[in-house]
Amino acid sequence: MAFVRCRRDLCGVICLILTYFSVFYADYVVIQYVLLPAFSDSVWSSLHGAVFNLVLTLLLACHARAALADPGMVPLPETAMDFSDLRSQSSRMNERGCEGWSVCSHCETYRPPRAHHCQVCQRCIRRMDHHCPWINNCVGELNQKYFIQFLFYSGVASLYSMVLVVSAWVWRIRNEREGDADKEAEETPGKHLVVAHYIILLVESVLFGVFVMVIFYDQLVSIITDETPIEQMKNRLMMKERGSSSSSSTPSSPQPPTHTRKPKLALLREVFGRGSVLCWLLPLHSSPPSVGGITYSALPDYDV
Ligand SMILES: [Zn+2]
Ligand SMILES: [Zn+2]
């Protein structure tokens, strides 16, 4: 049940409402105050209307999938686990090829490497990137693709809105200069209202556009460096600790985890799937994110 995954987080719900309101407001202004008055006599009105609404539809579809998809929750154990002898358990897990697994004290379960606990979702998420209030969900191994697609289409829609509004505004100014001001006033009453809508949509587009492009860039960097923001922070802290204790260095000093160096395209394919690059733009289910992805069938074998 997809809707069961919707978090009851007030901040997340407010951000969801704000996202949908912003999208529908942009569509209303573009059609009502940009395309119909400025391009009404040409085919451009229908063409821009169709393309703009296609971008918004893809944006909403990606958002819905990112918000409702399982981000990669680590399953909870059916029965309570006994962690009284953690040291011997972890050495047994290492012998069985499960090196790097750890115990989450909140979920009281074993979790694979790169899984982290989310305080909002109250669950451990595989390759957790961050908890995003704009999708009211975590961004993790299984929904990062949809989240990045949502950012991409938000950026495209913002840029498209800006271009259309500026074009319509220039068209209006030209009309006024050419002496059609009276005719214009008859056709579109409430000129100040129109200008107010233009300004609001421009501000909305600039704010959202810059915001999503910065996150989009960060997401791509974290994929091609194979390091989530949480891991970056942990590694930085580890390096700091190592630096401060370098004078009294002991063999048990924490070492930052090292991931396999993979080609950038392979890392991108792990997130976006193994299909054609064109499929990366569509919110469709792709092949499993990693070869030999994490399976939990071995969990009952851990003697816990
Ligand atoms: Zn947890
Ligand atoms: Zn979360």
Side-chain angles (χ1 to χ4, degrees):
M1 283 290 289
F3 283 97
V4 174
R5 293 198 186 101
C6 198
R7 311 277 161 276
R8 286 179 188 172
D9 172 44
L10 182 64
C11 177
V13 172
I14 291 171
C15 286
L16 279 186
I17 294 169
L18 195 60
T19 305
Y20 282 93
F21 176 78
S22 305
V23 169
F24 288 115
Y25 175 74
D27 200 26
Y28 168 71
V29 173
V30 163
I31 291 183
Q32 185 70 26
Y33 296 103
V34 173
L35 295 181
L36 289 180
F39 302 101
S40 56
D41 297 334
S42 73
V43 72
W44 289 108
S45 176
S46 312
L47 193 66
H48 281 305
V51 175
F52 188 71
N53 276 275
L54 177 66
V55 172
L56 293 189
T57 304
L58 286 165
L59 182 160
L60 291 176
C62 297
H63 182 272
R65 293 217 69 170
L68 300 174
D70 172 11
M73 286 183 181
V74 176
L76 295 173
E78 285 177 10
T79 52
M81 289 185 170
D82 177 17
F83 300 112
S84 55
D85 192 5
L86 259 180
R87 196 167 288 179
S88 68
Q89 291 291 351
S90 58
S91 64
R92 248 178 292 174
M93 285 206 298
N94 290 348
E95 282 167 19
R96 291 171 197 204
C98 297
E99 200 168 344
W101 283 60
S102 56
V103 170
C104 175
S105 56
H106 302 282
C107 300
E108 297 187 339
T109 187
Y110 285 105
R111 60 185 176 190
R114 308 190 75 182
H116 299 282
H117 186 81
C118 173
Q119 298 291 349
V120 182
C121 299
Q122 294 293 315
R123 290 289 293 273
C124 280
I125 311 293
R126 279 149 46 191
R127 208 174 66 205
M128 179 181 164
D129 193 274
H130 68 289
H131 183 93
C132 178
W134 295 99
I135 59 168
N136 196 24
N137 198 1
C138 260
V139 178
E141 187 174 282
L142 300 183
N143 70 341
Q144 191 177 19
K145 168 185 170 177
Y146 307 128
F147 178 67
I148 294 174
Q149 288 171 337
F150 163 63
L151 296 175
F152 174 74
Y153 288 115
S154 299
V156 171
S158 299
L159 191 65
Y160 205 168
S161 304
M162 281 189 263
V163 171
L164 289 175
V165 169
V166 170
S167 307
W169 213 337
V170 169
W171 171 82
R172 270 177 188 282
I173 293 167
R174 252 190 224 158
N175 266 8
E176 284 172 6
R177 280 186 187 164
E178 285 168 9
D180 292 340
D182 295 338
K183 188 185 164 194
E184 175 63 19
E186 281 170 24
E187 284 174 357
T188 54
K191 191 180 156 192
H192 294 299
L193 180 71
V194 176
V195 173
H197 278 307
Y198 283 179
I199 292 170
I200 293 170
L201 185 54
L202 273 179
V203 171
E204 179 195 315
S205 302
V206 170
L207 288 180
F208 273 91
V210 171
F211 180 59
V212 296
M213 280 301 124
V214 168
I215 305 176
F216 179 78
Y217 172 78
D218 281 346
Q219 288 286 303
L220 290 185
V221 169
S222 85
I223 292 171
I224 60 176
T225 55
D226 201 16
E227 203 173 49
T228 65
I230 295 172
E231 289 164 350
Q232 284 173 21
M233 202 168 64
K234 281 192 169 181
N235 290 346
R236 246 181 254 142
L237 282 173
M238 275 190 191
M239 296 302 283
K240 220 182 225 179
E241 277 179 30
R242 285 180 70 199
S244 62
S245 62
S246 57
S247 53
S248 57
S249 182
T250 59
S252 60
S253 298
Q255 299 289 326
T258 50
H259 303 308
T260 322
R261 279 281 159 226
K262 295 175 189 170
K264 289 183 177 68
L265 188 62
L267 290 166
L268 286 167
R269 282 191 187 284
E270 282 186 4
V271 173
F272 291 101
R274 294 168 206 297
S276 145
V277 174
L278 276 177
C279 294
W280 292 8
L281 295 171
L282 300 172
L284 301 173
H285 177 70
S286 52
S287 52
S290 55
V291 176
I294 298 154
T295 56
Y296 296 92
S297 56
L299 265 177
D301 196 29
Y302 287 148
D303 306 333
V304 288

